[in-house]
Amino acid sequence: MTSATKVYYSQTTQTDSRPLIGSGLRRRRVMTKDGRSNVRMEHIADKRFLYLKDLWTTFIDMQWRYKLVLFSATFAGTWFAFGVIWYLVAVVHGDLLEFDPPANHTPCVMQVHTLTGAFLFSLESQTTIGYGFRYISEECPLAIVLLITQLVLTTIMEIFITGTFLAKIARPKKRAETIKFSQNAVVAQHNGKTCLMIRVANMRKSLLIGCQVTGKLLQTHLTKEGESVRLNQVNVDFQVDTSSDSPFLILPLTFYHVVDDASPFRDVALQMGEGDFELVVILSGTVESTSATCQVRTSYLPEEILWGYEFTPAISLSASGKYVADFSLFDQVVKVTVPCCLHETVRFGDPEKVKLEESLREAAEREREGAPLSVRISNV
């Protein structure tokens, strides 16, 4: 068997036969490369009402620029709204100067003679500034009830808005941005089996606990009843070596999916880089520092799955004895020799086991031919 010719494939190289971004690449994606949904919802009845019923999620999902505008408008709006109410109280009680109140008249709120004064009193009361120049008196019970109502309602609003700010900042979405997927998936031999491989790396020193990598193959499926399911979802299992348990994601790891008779890729022409399917890969884990659940997603189209390539090693040992993860090599791949079909495997392993398998095969052939059976089983 001749040695494989190693040819490095740069992720920034664009050719006519394989453009970096094809004309229909973005339109065909269900999930973008950075994990965002590319599905547009249409004709939803009472969509705005449904969003208002779930104000907490709506406020958290709101973009920062709109959230800051709403935050400022909420405070300024409540100051002005209650300022107008305080002004009306002063009008009803006859506290304004244009009403020419008597010398022994005690206003509901001292020094509130204009709408501006009422607005400033509302602001000072709600923010508990308390300059002492404008204050409420005992003359008007309605003013006392109004002050209590203003403080209670605005405190609840402040708690809600501040809570959404904290929840938005503490979301593990930003933590997910420090999890990196390889730009391409590759198909090559691994442990004698044809495998589809992706590479995942954690770019922070803090670990993800209980990592699980799963995949979904989205493609058109024709049922036995003749129904065409446009985006049928089929599970794609990924593992590290032979174990599907939680990987130790302290260094960049390569996750494997064995392409065999049980694989959903058994009928997919991966060699050609063509087809109408999308592979969505999902990594789930718990952030060590906050105990929040984190999920990272990406997707691969047929032209992003490279047949006959494997990832370039990105781990090295420095002179000081530390392991170094070189992310300049993270997306680089190298061309290797692969079998001509998915079901072809490479024989390897312990020579004693290989010899035993050959002895058993020869013995079975002699038995079929009527020859005496003589097989020596070694302890392996």
Side-chain angles (χ1 to χ4, degrees):
M1 183 176 179
T2 58
S3 60
T5 303
K6 301 210 180 257
V7 179
Y8 286 92
Y9 180 87
S10 172
Q11 302 304 318
T12 59
T13 301
Q14 178 170 332
T15 62
D16 294 335
S17 61
R18 181 184 286 275
L20 290 180
I21 299 181
S23 58
L25 190 62
R26 293 187 183 275
R27 291 193 298 270
R28 286 167 38 199
R29 287 192 183 276
V30 176
M31 188 73 62
T32 62
K33 293 294 287 185
D34 57 356
R36 291 178 297 175
S37 173
N38 200 30
V39 178
R40 184 176 62 187
M41 304 293 182
E42 293 184 348
H43 308 298
I44 301 177
D46 300 327
K47 181 178 179 180
R48 295 182 179 178
F49 177 71
L50 294 175
Y51 277 41
L52 289 175
K53 286 180 65 177
D54 187 13
L55 276 178
W56 181 262
T57 305
T58 302
F59 274 58
I60 292 178
D61 291 340
M62 190 179 295
Q63 296 183 9
W64 276 111
R65 55 179 177 270
Y66 300 125
K67 194 173 184 66
L68 291 173
V69 171
L70 183 62
F71 180 81
S72 304
T74 300
F75 279 96
T78 53
W79 295 338
F80 181 76
F82 280 98
V84 171
I85 297 175
W86 284 113
Y87 180 76
L88 294 177
V89 170
V91 171
V92 171
H93 196 256
D95 298 339
L96 303 184
L97 296 179
E98 52 263 32
F99 293 156
D100 194 18
N104 60 349
H105 177 76
T106 304
C108 288
V109 182
M110 306 300 294
Q111 306 300 329
V112 173
H113 307 298
T114 60
L115 180 61
T116 304
F119 173 78
L120 291 176
F121 175 74
S122 173
L123 187 154
E124 295 169 11
S125 299
Q126 188 170 324
T127 56
T128 66
I129 293 176
Y131 290 120
F133 181 69
R134 298 179 182 88
Y135 57 91
I136 195 170
S137 66
E138 302 175 357
E139 182 69 19
C140 189
L142 177 62
I144 300 175
V145 175
L146 177 61
L147 179 62
I148 295 174
T149 303
Q150 178 181 1
L151 294 181
V152 171
L153 291 179
T154 55
T155 300
I156 294 174
M157 293 181 62
E158 290 175 12
I159 292 174
F160 179 82
I161 296 177
T162 305
T164 58
F165 260 85
L166 294 177
K168 189 175 182 65
I169 294 173
R171 283 193 307 175
K173 183 178 180 179
K174 295 300 181 182
R175 179 64 177 92
E177 294 178 359
T178 58
I179 305 297
K180 183 177 177 63
F181 284 96
S182 57
Q183 282 293 113
N184 293 88
V186 297
V187 180
Q189 286 288 324
H190 177 70
N191 287 346
K193 300 178 182 178
T194 303
C195 295
L196 184 145
M197 295 173 276
I198 61 170
R199 182 179 274 180
V200 184
N202 176 19
M203 295 184 289
R204 278 186 176 272
K205 289 187 176 181
S206 59
L207 300 179
L208 286 178
I209 304 171
C211 292
Q212 294 292 336
V213 175
T214 57
K216 296 288 183 181
L217 179 63
L218 310 180
Q219 62 179 347
T220 303
H221 175 68
L222 186 64
T223 64
K224 295 180 179 179
E225 294 76 18
E227 179 186 1
S228 179
V229 183
R230 183 165 181 80
L231 288 175
N232 184 54
Q233 299 187 18
V234 182
N235 289 330
V236 180
D237 297 326
F238 284 92
Q239 62 185 14
V240 179
D241 293 331
T242 59
S243 174
S244 60
D245 294 338
S246 301
F248 189 46
L249 198 60
I250 193 173
L251 292 171
L253 292 180
T254 300
F255 289 82
Y256 306 90
H257 168 72
V258 179
V259 184
D260 53 13
D261 291 335
S263 170
F265 288 100
R266 62 185 179 277
D267 299 324
V268 178
L270 294 176
Q271 300 98 318
M272 305 301 296
E274 300 175 355
D276 185 17
F277 70 90
E278 180 176 351
L279 174 62
V280 177
V281 181
I282 305 167
L283 182 145
S284 302
T286 303
V287 182
E288 183 182 34
S289 54
T290 62
S291 298
T293 302
C294 175
Q295 187 180 92
V296 196
R297 300 170 294 271
T298 191
S299 74
Y300 299 95
L301 294 180
E303 54 265 35
E304 295 171 333
I305 299 177
L306 307 179
W307 175 268
Y309 288 84
E310 67 180 17
F311 291 110
T312 304
I315 306 299
S316 61
L317 190 63
S318 66
S320 60
K322 289 186 177 181
Y323 287 98
V324 178
D326 189 355
F327 281 89
S328 65
L329 304 175
F330 183 81
D331 286 323
Q332 285 192 7
V333 294
V334 57
K335 190 171 181 59
V336 295
T337 301
V338 294
C340 60
C341 63
L342 295 180
H343 304 288
E344 183 178 343
T345 58
V346 176
R347 297 188 59 202
F348 72 105
D350 184 70
E352 193 71 22
K353 292 184 179 180
V354 174
K355 185 177 180 180
L356 175 60
E357 292 175 358
E358 292 177 351
S359 300
L360 291 173
R361 189 177 300 106
E362 293 174 359
E365 292 176 358
R366 287 197 299 269
E367 185 179 9
R368 285 194 300 268
E369 296 173 358
L373 180 62
S374 176
V375 181
R376 180 182 178 185
I377 305 296
S378 60
N379 185 15
V380 294

